[in-house]
Amino acid sequence: MVTHAPYLVGALAAALMAGPPLLQPHLLAGHDAPIYVTRSVEFDAALRDGILLPRWAPDLGHGYGEPTFLYQPPLFYYLTSLAHAVGFDFLAAENVATLLLLGIAVSAMYLLASDAFGRLGGLVAAVAYAFSEYLLVVLYVRHALADFAAFAFLPIAAWGILGTVTRASRGHLVVGAAGVALVLLSSVSVSIVALPAFGILVGWLALTAAPRRVAAALRGAWALALGLGLAAIFWLPAYLERGLVHFENLTRQWSDFRRHFLSAEQLVIPDWGYGFSEPGAAADGMSFAVGPVHLGLIGAGLLLLPSIWRMSRLAGSLLGFVLLASAVAAFLATSVAEPIWHAVALLQPLQFPWRYLSLVAMTTSLACGGAFVALRRWHWPAGPLLAAVACLLIVAWGIGHARPSGNRAVPVEQYTPALIAARNVKDVAAAEMEPAAMRWFPREPATRPARILQGRGTIVPVTTRSADRAFRVQAAEEVQLSLEIFSFPGWNVLVNGLPATPSADNPEAIMRLVLPPGNHEVRMAFGDTPVRTAAAGVSMIAAVLAVMTIVWPRMGRRLRLRWPTKSAPGTRAGNASDAIRRDARMAEQDRDQTGVGTPRSGDGPGSGADRTEKQGSGRVEDDAIVTGASTSAGPGSDPAHGGMNRSGSGGSGGSGAESGAEEGTSGETMNEMLTGESGSGDRPGG
């Protein structure tokens, strides 16, 4: 871990350079800026009322409530509520949460890229991600913070999949499943874009970079399935109950996907702006370009891809995938792909085909680090100097875009539940969160907790919270009450402790209730439907299976997963470990006597960090990749991490790997932390 620290510090420094506007307690200007503050206030109020997973926003819809959080992923609002709980107001809390996500994004990109491309490649990829043009568009132009939250977890999911498929690491499997779940809990649109790509990545790595293809593909599929299961508590009800609201509005008028295709020129020619997406390239007010520095580094990686593939199948496979994924995702954002959008109905609620640039931002940034694999044969100063130049060029180009058009002069005092209801604050543009039964929107705000439409009586409030209300009615005669809540599945009404069925046969879809003369106590609570309960059960089962995958040896063996174990002497595993240690000592003696490396037994699939050895130096260096001149491996070595030196000598070709200044010879690698493997010959017993 020590050797990674300077590079992680550099990556976080890039995040700070891209995020100075987030250090101020103001609402940043952006297309969706007011939406997230409103939702954060509603979400936080529900949490304070003891609701762990809010579904209902009681003050939206003019105070009649809307099922916003049934359909909007909750992760970003958990973060803002956490920041608010430690003392920040909601405007500052939003910026704190966003800055935290930016730091997670660049750190995760470094871990992913350094795993395959080495530390220099990881640093360049992380800086490229921090200043990716579309990432900055999402943050400072659109201010679409749900999409931005998903950017932090895309590299985490990919990193976990990479280690799960190619190294059979249980640690990576957990990371991959968690990453997939966090993407789903961050953004619906990014999930639709990214999940198929993750599935293809599993198959690609299994075919090109894993020794046991079927087992590798099953491991990757299991990680994806666990991630889907863990997040099912959100996405399953959101999908199955989408017909309860006006989701069809997402594809109408300005939101119609047909209006927002890109031209190929827009992906190449930068044209920064803070306007909106409009039909036609000339009318667009925002940039969709990849960026000239990114394109230059991608071109270098493409030219060097054959050489990189020969040096390391893992690096070559991952670089080949991200280049191909970038091209396919960019294609799906252009007008050439319009027939595909008409044929695949699942894509149409995305509204904007250019949302595929979410995937392009990650894959092109990752590809920026790929070219630095080829520099590992160069003498020491060249690689770091070129990496430094690349980082400086990326920052120089992107720093001018890392700011909003300004701040919104909105006092935080305007964002209270009462004012949100009274001012009829909208949190969506297409009214897609209104109940499907509604035919027109109420003109007057809701009266808490209820009001009498017909008859004589009085209402005495008892409790009014986010998802439950109680009041007493003293009716002098039969009365008809307006419960001042939109009718929606999940609301349960009790009158004097007995279930009651309110009607909603009015154009505004507001629940109404008729009570006889007398004193009554009315209680309303928003609960789960059978679909929501089943989804929660799926997530619980997925959590149990995830734990079983880690701790239950039989399940791990079925998936051919590796985990560090300490075997007792005399057992089969213990004897194998003793043999591995003995072979390692013999190899050490051979190096001391001859200065030439010999193959180590026990180097099996899933090696956490491959090694290259400088001939005559007697020193082994940790590398993230294995070049074609690496030490020859034993029969069990993983061909996915580089070709074997069939001559049997450990001599390096050319000048060898970069010196310890870039890769270092001390400290753990990230893979060792997750797989439990170390540089010694003692491998975990199978």
Side-chain angles (χ1 to χ4, degrees):
M1 182 63 181
V2 174
T3 56
H4 286 277
Y7 302 92
L8 279 171
V9 170
L12 291 173
L16 287 176
M17 287 188 286
L22 301 173
L23 300 175
Q24 54 185 343
H26 302 297
L27 180 62
L28 305 184
H31 302 167
D32 297 342
I35 290 176
Y36 291 94
V37 181
T38 303
R39 292 177 183 170
S40 294
V41 171
E42 294 289 288
F43 195 88
D44 183 76
L47 289 178
R48 292 178 184 273
D49 286 340
I51 304 170
L52 297 181
L53 181 60
R55 305 277 198 186
W56 188 262
D59 302 296
L60 296 179
H62 225 347
Y64 295 92
E66 291 180 353
T68 301
F69 303 116
L70 179 62
Y71 302 101
Q72 297 296 330
L75 189 139
F76 181 77
Y77 309 109
Y78 279 119
L79 293 178
T80 54
S81 294
L82 178 62
H84 181 62
V86 300
F88 294 98
D89 65 45
F90 282 108
L91 301 183
E94 180 180 289
N95 292 341
V96 169
T98 306
L99 186 61
L100 174 64
L101 290 166
L102 182 59
I104 294 173
V106 296
S107 300
M109 178 57 75
Y110 170 78
L111 296 178
L112 170 61
S114 64
D115 199 351
F117 304 146
R119 293 170 177 85
L120 285 180
L123 177 60
V124 173
V127 175
Y129 201 38
F131 288 95
S132 171
E133 193 130 331
Y134 184 69
L135 182 145
L136 297 178
V137 166
V138 171
L139 177 55
Y140 292 124
V141 178
R142 298 180 57 215
H143 207 65
L145 299 181
D147 287 0
F148 182 79
F151 281 22
F153 305 111
L154 290 174
I156 292 177
W159 184 45
I161 290 170
L162 180 69
T164 301
V165 174
T166 62
R167 296 185 181 88
S169 161
R170 297 193 195 199
H172 282 92
L173 188 147
V174 172
V175 171
V180 171
L182 290 170
V183 170
L184 284 161
L185 294 174
S186 298
S187 170
V188 173
S189 60
V190 176
S191 299
I192 293 174
V193 168
L195 288 180
F198 289 150
I200 296 171
L201 175 62
V202 167
W204 177 280
L205 291 174
L207 288 173
T208 62
R212 298 181 178 91
R213 294 177 177 176
V214 175
L218 289 176
R219 289 193 301 269
W222 184 240
L224 292 177
L226 286 179
L228 286 167
L230 290 171
I233 194 172
F234 162 70
W235 69 263
L236 200 55
Y239 179 74
L240 294 179
E241 296 186 338
R242 66 191 186 281
L244 301 178
V245 293
H246 288 291
F247 253 52
E248 70 278 2
N249 291 349
L250 290 174
T251 57
R252 291 179 178 175
Q253 299 178 0
W254 184 79
S255 299
D256 190 343
F257 70 91
R258 300 172 185 85
R259 299 167 55 93
H260 300 284
F261 284 104
L262 303 180
S263 64
E265 293 81 4
Q266 288 179 282
L267 297 172
V268 179
I269 301 174
D271 185 19
W272 188 263
Y274 293 93
F276 291 91
S277 172
E278 300 291 348
D284 273 323
M286 50 195 289
S287 174
F288 303 104
V290 175
V293 183
H294 286 67
L295 289 174
L297 291 171
I298 292 168
L302 181 61
L303 291 175
L304 295 171
L305 180 59
S307 175
I308 293 170
W309 196 291
R310 289 193 297 270
M311 295 171 67
S312 166
R313 283 179 59 189
L314 176 62
S317 174
L318 184 60
L319 181 57
F321 173 81
V322 296
L323 291 173
L324 182 60
S326 299
V328 173
F331 165 77
L332 289 172
T334 63
S335 56
V336 183
E338 185 170 353
I340 297 176
W341 284 74
H342 285 282
V344 182
L346 184 62
L347 297 178
Q348 296 171 10
L350 285 176
Q351 300 173 294
F352 310 110
W354 42 257
R355 274 183 161 149
Y356 265 93
L357 297 183
S358 302
L359 183 61
V360 172
M362 187 194 78
T363 55
T364 55
S365 299
L366 182 55
C368 286
F372 289 86
V373 176
L375 301 181
R376 299 173 67 84
R377 291 179 177 271
W378 293 24
H379 291 291
W380 171 75
L385 285 176
L386 287 175
V389 170
C391 291
L392 288 174
L393 289 175
I394 292 169
V395 173
W397 175 260
I399 195 75
H401 302 155
R403 61 174 184 265
S405 60
N407 298 323
R408 288 180 179 258
V410 179
V412 70
E413 292 78 14
Q414 289 191 13
Y415 290 97
T416 64
L419 289 177
I420 289 171
R423 293 164 49 221
N424 190 21
V425 175
K426 300 288 188 181
D427 79 321
V428 289
E432 64 267 23
M433 293 300 152
E434 295 174 358
M438 182 193 297
R439 295 196 292 276
W440 67 64
F441 195 82
R443 296 180 179 180
E444 300 296 327
T447 303
R448 301 294 174 82
R451 62 190 176 98
I452 298 176
L453 298 178
Q454 295 179 2
R456 292 181 298 110
T458 59
I459 297 175
V460 180
V462 177
T463 58
T464 301
R465 292 191 291 241
S466 298
D468 63 273
R469 299 177 187 176
F471 55 91
R472 295 187 181 94
V473 179
Q474 297 174 349
E477 58 185 9
E478 183 179 85
V479 295
Q480 183 183 36
L481 300 180
S482 171
L483 299 182
E484 303 294 85
I485 296 175
F486 287 138
S487 177
F488 194 81
W491 277 109
N492 300 298
V493 179
L494 299 177
V495 178
N496 299 326
L498 299 176
T501 304
S503 65
D505 55 353
N506 56 88
E508 298 167 331
I510 298 172
M511 289 192 292
R512 293 178 178 178
L513 186 66
V514 176
L515 296 178
N519 297 328
H520 308 280
E521 183 172 325
V522 180
R523 291 187 175 272
M524 299 179 291
F526 189 77
D528 287 337
T529 60
V531 169
R532 296 167 209 165
T533 302
V538 171
S539 290
M540 292 182 64
I541 292 171
V544 171
L545 291 174
V547 173
M548 290 175 61
T549 302
I550 299 171
V551 303
W552 192 26
R554 179 175 296 180
M555 179 174 285
R557 284 196 297 269
R558 289 182 181 276
L559 295 171
R560 298 185 180 274
L561 292 169
R562 299 172 65 85
W563 196 251
T565 58
K566 292 184 178 179
S567 304
T571 65
R572 180 183 300 179
N575 293 336
S577 297
D578 292 341
I580 291 170
R581 294 190 187 95
R582 185 168 57 253
D583 290 342
R585 288 195 297 269
M586 293 175 61
E588 188 76 26
Q589 293 172 2
D590 290 341
R591 286 195 294 270
D592 292 340
Q593 294 174 4
T594 66
V596 178
T598 58
R600 297 181 300 167
S601 67
D603 279 350
S607 163
D610 301 313
R611 273 112 175 119
T612 57
E613 182 177 349
K614 292 189 176 180
Q615 184 173 359
S617 68
R619 182 179 68 180
V620 177
E621 293 186 350
D622 285 337
D623 283 331
I625 64 166
V626 174
T627 67
S630 63
T631 305
S632 61
S637 65
D638 183 354
H641 295 267
M644 291 190 290
N645 187 337
R646 299 189 182 278
S647 66
S649 108
S652 62
S655 61
E658 293 179 37
S659 76
E662 193 267 318
E663 292 296 338
T665 59
S666 64
E668 296 177 306
T669 66
M670 293 296 176
N671 293 325
E672 288 167 357
M673 294 173 61
L674 288 178
T675 62
E677 298 172 357
S678 65
S680 70
D682 187 8
R683 299 290 181 189

